[in-house]
Amino acid sequence: MGGRILATEARVPLLLAHMRIIAGQLRGRRLLPPAAETTRPITDRAKQSLFDILSPIIPDANVYDCFAGTGSMGLECLSREAKAVTFFESDRSALKLLRENIAVLDVAEKSTVVSTNLFDWFAKMPGGGKIALVFLDPPYRFLREQPAELQALAATLAQKHLAKDTIVVFRHDAADRLELPPLAGEDVRTYGSMMIELLKVQS
């Protein structure tokens, strides 16, 4: 992916009336949206731009969807023939909708839902198989209120779960910045008030 890239688009609302799968076997299928402002749905335009980059690595990939909300990113991967997705979500309202989306799309066999505190889960897990793609999409306030926890999570992921070429998709408010060593950016894209960084483990 070469050097850092900065792409922008006009400010767009992040809360959508509906969400959908944009490509793959489940293309066009509607997803239950988050209630109120529990999560921050990504616009179709930003999602399409992101998955244009990610599409080559998704088939047969094991994926982590951290802070999954109602599952839009992980479910998009399953539509594009990912091998399996682990969804991490502890908010009760989002978790209920996530499980319903998985059931409606009939992808339960390829889905694992972890509903406990994500930071605690990773701190206690000894490690596992190498993950090809990680979506790291914490509540925006976490970059200001829990930066140390996010940095510890990034370090644990890099040490125990990621291969050298694994891509970590870090989405956050464009006004905020947080370094996540040993992960470092290769591509940065800004969509209105939202920033997406594509990170990899740096040796």
Side-chain angles (χ1 to χ4, degrees):
M1 281 181 292
R4 294 169 68 88
I5 300 171
L6 181 64
T8 61
E9 71 174 30
R11 183 175 296 271
V12 290
L14 293 182
L15 292 177
L16 307 180
H18 63 82
M19 298 164 59
R20 66 188 180 95
I21 302 294
I22 59 175
Q25 297 174 337
L26 303 172
R27 180 178 180 179
R29 296 287 296 274
R30 295 291 180 90
L31 301 174
L32 294 171
E37 296 186 1
T38 301
T39 61
R40 306 147 315 283
I42 189 170
T43 64
D44 279 359
R45 182 175 178 183
K47 189 176 180 181
Q48 181 66 64
S49 176
L50 174 62
F51 276 87
D52 283 347
I53 299 171
L54 301 178
S55 58
I57 69 169
I58 293 175
D60 296 320
N62 289 305
V63 179
Y64 281 167
D65 191 352
C66 300
F67 307 99
T70 58
S72 173
M73 307 305 274
L75 293 170
E76 185 72 37
C77 289
L78 290 177
S79 179
R80 297 169 184 248
E81 301 184 348
K83 181 178 181 180
V85 176
T86 302
F87 298 89
F88 299 87
E89 180 55 60
S90 59
D91 179 87
R92 289 185 179 181
S93 61
L95 183 62
K96 179 177 182 295
L97 295 172
L98 168 61
R99 294 186 188 279
E100 291 181 20
N101 280 332
I102 290 171
V104 168
L105 295 179
D106 194 25
V107 292
E109 290 186 358
K110 294 184 176 182
S111 303
T112 300
V113 177
V114 177
S115 59
T116 57
N117 180 283
L118 179 150
F119 297 120
D120 292 342
W121 189 90
F122 275 102
K124 295 175 182 177
M125 283 294 292
K130 296 301 183 182
I131 303 303
L133 176 62
V134 176
F135 294 95
L136 185 59
D137 190 10
Y140 285 177
R141 60 184 173 83
F142 277 23
L143 274 74
R144 299 181 297 274
E145 297 177 4
Q146 296 181 250
E149 288 88 342
L150 288 172
Q151 289 172 330
L153 173 61
T156 298
L157 281 168
Q159 180 181 3
K160 298 181 179 181
H161 299 269
L162 307 186
K164 186 175 181 180
D165 58 350
T166 298
I167 294 177
V168 177
V169 179
F170 182 33
R171 183 162 75 107
H172 56 85
D173 192 303
D176 295 327
R177 297 290 189 277
L178 181 65
E179 297 295 325
L180 297 176
L183 304 178
E186 297 204 350
D187 192 331
V188 179
R189 294 172 183 255
T190 302
Y191 303 90
S193 62
M194 176 184 69
M195 178 174 285
I196 296 176
E197 299 184 54
L198 302 185
L199 311 175
K200 285 188 176 182
V201 177
Q202 301 299 305
S203 57

